[in-house]
Amino acid sequence: MIANLQILSDHPDLAYQALQAMQSPAVGQLLRIRMSHFDKGHDQASDDATSYAKMLENFGRDHFQPILDRTRGNASAVEVRAAATAALKGAARLLALADKAHRHAARLEKAESLAAEQARQED
C-alpha cells in the first residue's frame, strides 16, 4: 500500500494521466516482476557484484532480442503479448541497473568528497 501519495501539477489533466499511468496493469506487472527478482536472490548485493556490461549484455540477450524477434513482420497477438512481457522483464532489469548506478554514484560522491576534504586539510 502507498499512503500520502501526491501528484502535483499545474495541469489537472497531467496529474490524472500520471495517476492513470501508475495504476496501469503494465506498472503493476513491472513491480511484480521486480519483486520476484528479490525473491530469487537478485538483491542489491548481487546487482552491485555484476558489471554494467554484463547487466546490459543479459538485457540484450534475454529481453531486447526476443522483443525484436516477436514483433517482426505480421506478428500474432500471442507474439505481441510475449514481446510485452519481455519488455516488462527488461524494464525490471533496467530498473535494477538504474538503482545500482544511483548507489554507485552515491559511493563515488562520498569518496570524492572525503578526498577533497582531506586535500583541504593537508593544505
Side-chain angles (χ1 to χ4, degrees), residues 19-107:
L19 181 61
Q20 289 298 103
M22 286 189 296
Q23 294 176 336
S24 77
V27 171
Q29 189 174 359
L30 170 64
L31 293 174
R32 283 190 296 280
I33 290 167
R34 184 70 178 120
M35 296 307 293
S36 75
H37 288 175
F38 296 138
D39 291 340
K40 296 174 187 172
H42 297 282
D43 57 7
Q44 289 181 358
S46 68
D47 289 342
D48 290 349
T50 305
S51 71
Y52 293 108
K54 184 65 175 168
M55 291 177 88
L56 288 170
E57 177 186 319
N58 291 345
F59 169 77
R61 180 194 65 232
D62 297 341
H63 307 292
F64 188 69
Q65 191 59 50
I67 293 167
L68 288 174
D69 293 344
R70 290 183 174 111
T71 56
R72 284 202 178 112
N74 294 323
S76 69
V78 169
E79 290 169 319
V80 171
R81 209 165 281 289
T85 299
L88 287 168
K89 288 182 176 182
R93 279 219 174 145
L94 290 177
L95 183 58
L97 189 143
D99 288 342
K100 170 192 169 107
H102 281 289
R103 289 190 303 276
H104 186 193
R107 286 191 306 272

